[in-house]
Amino acid sequence: MENHLLLCILLLIPAFASSDFLVTHVRNIKKRNADNDLVVNGIEIYSMKIDSKVTSRFAHNVITSRAVNRGNVHKEVFFDVELPKTAFITNFSMTIDGVTYPGTIKEKEVAKKQYEKAVSKGQTAGLVKASGRKTEKFTVSVNIEAASKVTFELTYEELLKRQFGKYEMFIKVKPKQLVKDFEIEVNIFEPQGISDLEAEGTFITNDLQNTIKKTFSEKKGHISFKPTLDQQRTCANCSQSVLDGDFTVRYDVKRTTPDNLQIVNGYFVHFFAPTNLPKLPKNVIFVIDISGSMSGREIEQTREALLKILDDIKEDDFFNFILFGSKVHTWKETLIKATPENLDEARKFVRGIDTEGMTNLYGGVMRGIDMLNAAHEENLVPKRSASIIIMLTDGKPNVGISNTEDIQAHVKKAIEGKYPLYSLGFGYGVDYSFLEKMALENKGLARRIYPDSDAALQLQGFYDEVSNPMLTDVELNYPENEISDLTKTSFKHFYDGSEIVVAGRFIDNNQNSLTVDVRGEGANDALSYTTQQDAEQTAKAFQEQDYIFGEYIERLWAYLTIEQLLEKRIAATGEEKENLTAEALDLSLKYKFVTPLTSMVVTKPEDNDNRDGIADKPIEGIDIFTIVLYLKNQISLFLPFTSYPPMVTAEAQGITAVTLAPQVSYLYNAHPTWYTSVDGDPHFIISVPQKDDAICFNINENPGAVLNLINDPVTGITINGELIGDKRANSAAKIQNTYFGKLGIANKHLDLKLTVTPEKITIQNGNEKTGFTWLDSVTLEQEGLTLIINRKKNLVLKMGRGASFVIVLHQVWKKHPLHQDFLGLYTLESDKLSEQTHGLLGQFFHPIDFTILEIHPGSDPKKPDATMIVKNNELTVTRGWQKDYRADPVHGVDVPCWFVHNNGAGLIDGVHTDYIISSLF
């Protein structure tokens, strides 16, 4: 199953900057005249087109952006787009004043060597990173001379998957400025015929409604959206664009037969989606994690989702709930029928689900498997029914069998391929790789549930995908002596509204006919279908259309084959994994797809400090939250816990916060996503996501001062920090270095206090105290508290319903004459704190906006000054850099922010001395 069948394009039209520094989203607060309102910071985007051609569900998409430098000096132009995670980039090029600079797709190891060589010269930049639930961001920039023009062109391909009876193309529109020639054009050709076609946009006003042109007849469909400049404006005299939201195209095809077979040039594709079948009864066991880390919003959203699911369960279905914390609890001893009385009882049970203990994942899953096996053996459920297990967890197993490889082996042996296991990972603390392997080995899939306000809807949405099984044990049979290189032909379940797709190629390229047999088990009896097709029939069906892109069925076969090889590779080991890798790599290179095994090297002009870049395919499941919270052995790759060089000044120290970094690789060097943090001297950095930028400031106070960092009266969480200084004063420095030497974290609702110093960690729960040192490796879960100590590196803490925090230990040479060990604080999931949260850090958990004006040279030629408008204050700020030590713990990577002087005056509420308190608690 896929989480919505999406073809996604997020048009983040280039952010622009001068060659000296990066300034994103600069807004001109003065009204612009008609001649100038197309130009932002000297750059005009005069054309932007998204051209999508869909033939038999296979989408070929070309995004073209054209810009011109209207300024008097060279400028840096950015091209940002967001693509579906399921798409493969196939081509990219930049054309500057008639000269084209193409992207070249190479084996990742070859590209890596080329990239490393360029890195040593400071000439490279990563281009692709994960940016959302379903998308990944492609970013490239180039410096162009005054009056020069640049054309960016990006191509990617994707097989649209059917869900809930529709194919859906989701186009995110956000140009950020007026574009003289803006157009979205979608052409669809389906040999089966198009049954319905619709288009809508969340930003579509009454004035824009008529700009969406939609036509379809028989096999062709066409959508066009081309607003004029005046229609793009937020108001008659405004220079801001109203184009900001989602543009969605949905369609389906006519289905007069259960399947459709197409043959072109020695390749075939087979679509199977029977309709009007009686629904199979289903037997579903929900295995739910109730460990302490699920407390708060997670368990509330789980209860909410389960209650909605109970409303949708059919009376012929059988179901049960299994809960696992430290122990395993079952609602009923066996599966029971979904009668109205049993559903009422189930609702009462769900409302009472609460959290306790640790994570006995193995015990919970095995109890569910044993229960399903017994139900079938004892004929407690209908013989013709579909059984599934849906398991939800937010952490890693730590009770009972906790070795993930052992769990996988036991689960696979117990299920024996009889039914699918679906693994849902709640949030970022899960071992997603383990969940995915276990699900794929058992004919299911893994899905991340994002810890947002709509998590309950995500859970319910997944259930909806698998709630209506129509067939089990579907087998598609093709003549062995005629066909080679088939994609997957065996499917445990076929769900209503979905579609099975198989592709392959003929052994004899001249063969032009094929007979296929399909068999499956339905609600009443075994079903079989036979389909015959020849190339002439396919050619006749395609005579009416004139925009097939190349050998589309061959490319569809290659796309589907690579996708499935990569999926098999996840759970494979040894020689089998090597063979799958080699096969997928060969196809990726042959058909020029950017996959996890290939990279695209983008070459740029050598002048104006342009840097070559490399585009990699991010991999789901390797993300920073997983690593920060639970993968202890890898946390050093991301967190700046190494001590700073002794003589590095405060402004140069690493103040980077934890970021979403989907790929552990030095091929990955994308612009960072900030999380609010304090580290160093003490150096505060504030994320401003809507600006894709950051603000930073220092607090200069005397050693011994205690600062209130976070105070949330609703969740009861407070964090305070006590400053320490160097071992002796530096007589040459005007301002003495200070650092956090002690942090106090409390939750008054839970009567919990945590004191952290560079030497030890103390937990006080009521009158009971527990102590640890930084030499310990600890995982502690109890009601309302999750604590993980990664030896001599960092600790991760979650208290009650609030955010999670990472405290980083910075150690220096013990005999250093000046410096001493100190701590850094990083905040994750700050949205879980209330709107009343305040403090030096806490006040910035709420949205903040600012405008940059009058950029001019500063005292340091590399760090320009500017005027910042923030909180109705006009401040002089400096464009500076801070060190990001995630990828390079020794040297770090420079990342930009706007530095506010004088202890954050004008940025923070009040003055910094307002945040000085008398004690740690």
Side-chain angles (χ1 to χ4, degrees):
M1 291 294 124
E2 296 293 331
N3 185 18
H4 271 108
L5 317 175
L6 301 179
L7 171 61
C8 305
I9 309 168
L10 173 54
L11 302 179
L12 296 176
I13 305 302
F16 311 106
S18 78
S19 59
D20 295 325
F21 53 90
L22 175 64
V23 184
T24 58
H25 309 278
V26 175
R27 297 186 302 175
N28 190 339
I29 62 174
K30 301 176 182 179
K31 288 187 177 180
R32 300 171 180 171
N33 61 43
D35 294 330
N36 294 330
D37 60 4
L38 298 180
V39 180
V40 175
N41 197 36
I43 299 294
E44 176 190 349
I45 303 175
Y46 59 89
S47 175
M48 168 61 69
K49 183 170 183 179
I50 307 95
D51 183 21
S52 296
K53 291 182 172 65
V54 183
T55 301
S56 296
R57 291 74 150 169
F58 196 61
H60 176 88
N61 311 281
V62 181
I63 305 172
T64 307
S65 177
R66 293 180 169 88
V68 59
N69 182 358
R70 300 293 189 194
N72 298 319
V73 297
H74 65 86
K75 299 280 186 178
E76 189 172 15
V77 182
F78 285 79
F79 174 72
D80 293 331
V81 297
E82 292 207 12
L83 318 172
K85 289 180 179 178
T86 50
F88 293 151
I89 293 172
T90 63
N91 192 35
F92 173 76
S93 66
M94 292 181 294
T95 301
I96 303 172
D97 292 337
V99 180
T100 298
Y101 301 87
T104 305
I105 295 174
K106 300 182 178 182
E107 180 183 356
K108 188 178 290 291
E109 288 302 311
V110 174
K112 174 180 168 181
K113 292 176 182 177
Q114 179 176 340
Y115 187 81
E116 285 177 326
K117 184 178 180 180
V119 165
S120 66
K121 301 177 181 179
Q123 295 176 342
T124 61
L127 303 181
V128 183
K129 63 179 180 179
S131 62
R133 297 181 186 179
K134 309 178 187 74
T135 59
E136 55 203 29
K137 188 177 190 178
F138 177 93
T139 302
V140 69
S141 66
V142 64
N143 272 294
I144 60 173
E145 297 288 355
S148 289
K149 293 182 178 181
V150 59
T151 298
F152 300 100
E153 184 174 283
L154 178 71
T155 304
Y156 67 93
E157 294 176 344
E158 180 188 23
L159 177 63
L160 302 183
K161 297 177 176 65
R162 187 169 182 255
Q163 190 178 53
F164 303 120
K166 299 281 185 180
Y167 306 97
E168 182 175 281
M169 304 180 69
F170 170 81
I171 301 171
K172 187 75 174 179
V173 180
K174 194 178 179 68
K176 302 180 185 176
Q177 70 181 82
L178 300 176
V179 180
K180 184 177 180 180
D181 182 12
F182 180 91
E183 183 178 10
I184 298 173
E185 185 173 23
V186 180
N187 285 293
I188 303 170
F189 181 82
E190 291 288 351
Q192 291 171 260
I194 298 173
S195 61
D196 59 88
L197 176 65
E198 58 189 60
E200 62 184 17
T202 58
F203 56 88
I204 298 296
T205 62
N206 291 335
D207 292 339
L208 283 176
Q209 192 64 51
N210 293 332
T211 62
I212 301 178
K213 307 297 183 184
K214 179 189 75 171
T215 59
F216 77 97
S217 63
E218 295 301 324
K219 301 171 186 177
K220 291 185 178 181
H222 180 258
I223 298 288
S224 175
F225 175 64
K226 191 173 182 179
T228 65
L229 273 176
D230 287 340
Q231 288 171 326
Q232 294 178 44
R233 300 179 192 274
T234 53
C235 66
N237 297 319
C238 296
S239 58
Q240 286 77 34
S241 175
V242 74
L243 305 183
D244 186 358
D246 305 334
F247 187 84
T248 306
V249 176
R250 297 183 184 91
Y251 78 95
D252 198 18
V253 301
K254 295 177 181 178
R255 301 182 189 277
T256 56
T257 59
D259 54 359
N260 178 257
L261 189 60
Q262 299 173 24
I263 302 170
V264 176
N265 295 337
Y267 290 82
F268 78 89
V269 61
H270 184 196
F271 301 103
F272 178 74
T275 56
N276 301 318
L277 293 175
K279 290 182 174 59
L280 275 165
K282 66 179 178 295
N283 316 305
V284 56
I285 292 184
F286 300 94
V287 182
I288 307 298
D289 184 348
I290 60 164
S291 63
S293 58
M294 282 284 289
S295 65
R297 188 167 70 164
E298 285 91 341
I299 201 67
E300 290 175 3
Q301 291 173 321
T302 301
R303 287 194 294 260
E304 179 185 346
L306 290 176
L307 288 171
K308 290 178 180 176
I309 287 170
L310 286 171
D311 291 338
D312 294 333
I313 289 182
K314 313 295 188 300
E315 191 163 357
D316 290 336
D317 295 341
F318 285 74
F319 71 106
N320 202 349
F321 296 103
I322 293 174
L323 312 178
F324 65 90
S326 295
K327 298 179 180 179
V328 178
H329 309 276
T330 59
W331 173 48
K332 298 291 183 182
E333 290 306 308
T334 186
L335 284 95
I336 66 169
K337 196 171 184 181
T339 64
E341 296 78 15
N342 287 337
L343 288 171
D344 285 341
E345 187 179 348
R347 291 184 183 96
K348 293 178 183 178
F349 175 78
V350 168
R351 292 187 184 101
I353 293 176
D354 207 349
T355 56
E356 62 174 40
M358 300 176 75
T359 309
N360 187 359
L361 185 148
Y362 170 79
V365 174
M366 290 302 296
R367 181 75 63 88
I369 296 169
D370 292 342
M371 187 178 291
L372 260 183
N373 287 340
H376 282 282
E377 291 168 3
E378 299 169 17
N379 295 318
L380 300 177
V381 295
K383 183 178 181 180
R384 290 193 174 277
S385 58
S387 295
I388 60 176
I389 294 178
I390 298 176
M391 191 266 293
L392 171 70
T393 183
D394 78 331
K396 289 176 62 179
N398 52 26
V399 174
I401 296 179
S402 57
N403 181 283
T404 55
E405 292 184 358
D406 290 343
I407 295 174
Q408 287 171 226
H410 284 293
V411 168
K412 185 177 181 180
K413 183 178 179 181
I415 291 181
E416 294 182 318
K418 294 189 291 289
Y419 36 79
L421 167 67
Y422 296 106
S423 301
L424 306 183
F426 202 133
Y428 303 104
V430 295
D431 184 344
Y432 190 87
S433 176
F434 156 62
L435 296 182
E436 188 173 39
K437 287 179 183 178
M438 188 167 64
L440 292 173
E441 283 184 335
N442 295 286
K443 300 185 178 181
L445 57 82
R447 177 76 54 79
R448 191 186 297 282
I449 303 299
Y450 292 85
D452 296 328
S453 59
D454 67 340
L457 292 176
Q458 295 176 57
L459 288 167
Q460 185 186 2
F462 175 80
Y463 172 78
D464 290 342
E465 292 179 42
V466 299
S467 64
N468 292 309
M470 314 297 283
L471 295 172
T472 63
D473 300 317
V474 180
E475 298 284 345
L476 298 94
N477 301 300
Y478 304 85
E480 292 183 6
N481 60 342
E482 298 177 7
I483 300 299
S484 68
D485 299 316
L486 277 168
T487 59
K488 182 179 176 180
T489 60
S490 176
F491 300 85
K492 189 62 189 176
H493 291 164
F494 167 73
Y495 295 103
D496 190 24
S498 67
E499 183 174 66
I500 289 173
V501 183
V502 179
R505 62 179 179 179
F506 292 101
I507 295 174
D508 180 358
N509 285 338
N510 295 319
Q511 183 172 335
N512 58 12
S513 64
L514 181 64
T515 300
V516 182
D517 292 320
V518 183
R519 301 182 183 277
E521 299 295 329
N524 301 321
D525 51 24
L527 301 177
S528 64
Y529 307 90
T530 299
T531 299
Q532 292 181 315
Q533 180 68 297
D534 60 50
E536 291 182 4
Q537 289 174 298
T538 302
K540 184 177 180 180
F542 279 83
Q543 284 176 355
E544 300 175 32
Q545 68 93 33
D546 55 4
Y547 45 78
I548 285 184
F549 47 92
E551 304 297 337
Y552 88 96
I553 286 185
E554 182 179 350
R555 293 191 67 80
L556 186 157
W557 165 80
Y559 172 95
L560 194 58
T561 300
I562 293 169
E563 187 179 60
Q564 293 180 2
L565 288 171
L566 293 173
E567 186 177 274
K568 289 180 184 178
R569 182 173 171 266
I570 291 171
T573 57
E575 186 178 352
E576 180 189 7
K577 186 168 187 174
E578 290 178 6
N579 293 337
L580 291 169
T581 300
E583 189 176 353
L585 174 60
D586 286 346
L587 288 173
S588 299
L589 292 172
K590 179 178 179 180
Y591 291 95
K592 300 187 184 305
F593 287 134
V594 177
T595 72
L597 304 176
T598 56
S599 299
M600 182 172 67
V601 179
V602 176
T603 304
K604 303 181 185 181
E606 295 182 358
D607 54 352
N608 292 335
D609 298 322
N610 281 311
R611 304 179 300 165
D612 290 352
I614 192 163
D616 283 330
K617 182 76 174 173
I619 301 173
E620 176 66 39
I622 306 177
D623 66 32
I624 189 63
F625 284 105
T626 301
I627 293 167
V628 168
L629 292 177
Y630 290 97
L631 300 187
K632 303 173 187 176
N633 294 332
Q634 297 184 30
I635 195 162
S636 62
L637 295 173
F638 295 89
L639 289 174
F641 50 75
T642 57
S643 59
Y644 302 122
M647 299 310 292
V648 172
T649 63
E651 285 196 6
Q653 286 179 357
I655 48 73
T656 144
V658 180
T659 74
L660 283 173
Q663 197 160 353
V664 185
S665 170
Y666 41 84
L667 292 180
Y668 184 87
N669 185 26
H671 188 64
T673 301
W674 292 103
Y675 286 80
T676 305
S677 66
V678 58
D679 209 337
D681 186 24
H683 218 96
F684 293 76
I685 187 155
I686 310 304
S687 167
V688 188
Q690 68 271 26
K691 297 287 189 183
D692 194 23
D693 209 342
I695 306 173
C696 50
F697 63 95
N698 287 346
I699 295 295
N700 300 310
E701 262 302 330
N702 296 321
V706 179
L707 301 177
N708 173 235
L709 303 177
I710 299 171
N711 179 25
D712 182 4
V714 176
T715 63
I717 291 177
T718 60
I719 300 183
N720 302 316
E722 182 176 325
L723 296 176
I724 60 171
D726 288 331
K727 294 177 181 177
R728 57 182 176 81
N730 183 355
S731 58
K734 294 181 180 179
I735 299 175
Q736 300 299 317
N737 291 334
T738 53
Y739 313 89
F740 281 117
K742 184 183 291 186
L743 291 171
I745 306 177
N747 187 322
K748 66 179 181 181
H749 297 332
L750 299 175
D751 198 15
L752 279 172
K753 293 180 181 177
L754 185 79
T755 305
V756 184
T757 71
E759 292 77 37
K760 63 182 180 179
I761 301 102
T762 304
I763 303 171
Q764 183 172 345
N765 192 343
N767 294 322
E768 298 181 4
K769 283 189 176 182
T770 305
F772 303 99
T773 75
W774 284 100
L775 297 176
D776 296 320
S777 292
V778 176
T779 299
L780 174 66
E781 289 190 71
Q782 63 185 57
E783 185 175 357
L785 174 68
T786 301
L787 174 70
I788 299 170
I789 302 174
N790 298 300
R791 186 175 184 268
K792 298 176 70 175
K793 295 178 179 179
N794 54 71
L795 69 82
V796 183
L797 173 72
K798 183 179 177 65
M799 301 177 78
R801 301 181 183 183
S804 300
F805 305 97
V806 179
I807 297 175
V808 178
L809 174 65
H810 294 270
Q811 292 184 308
V812 301
W813 179 43
K814 294 301 180 186
K815 295 183 181 180
H816 195 282
L818 189 62
H819 301 303
Q820 54 183 328
D821 297 348
F822 63 97
L823 304 170
L825 173 69
Y826 299 77
T827 305
L828 311 180
E829 301 174 296
S830 60
D831 60 308
K832 290 190 174 182
L833 296 173
S834 78
E835 294 182 357
Q836 299 180 39
T837 303
H838 208 262
L840 272 172
L841 272 183
Q843 64 187 288
F844 298 107
F845 296 163
H846 319 303
I848 183 173
D849 196 10
F850 66 88
T851 299
I852 297 294
L853 303 171
E854 301 172 4
I855 301 165
H856 57 276
S859 56
D860 184 339
K862 295 183 179 180
K863 297 181 179 180
D865 287 344
T867 298
M868 173 184 286
I869 308 298
V870 60
K871 293 185 177 180
N872 294 320
N873 295 319
E874 188 174 304
L875 311 177
T876 297
V877 295
T878 301
R879 191 62 173 179
W881 294 268
Q882 302 301 334
K883 288 289 186 182
D884 178 348
Y885 286 92
R886 290 170 301 159
D888 185 350
V890 177
H891 304 101
V893 176
D894 285 330
V895 293
C897 69
W898 290 106
F899 185 81
V900 178
H901 303 272
N902 302 322
N903 293 299
L907 173 67
I908 64 174
D909 295 338
V911 295
H912 81 279
T913 53
D914 296 339
Y915 300 88
I916 298 176
I917 56 178
S918 59
S919 63
L920 209 58
F921 295 108

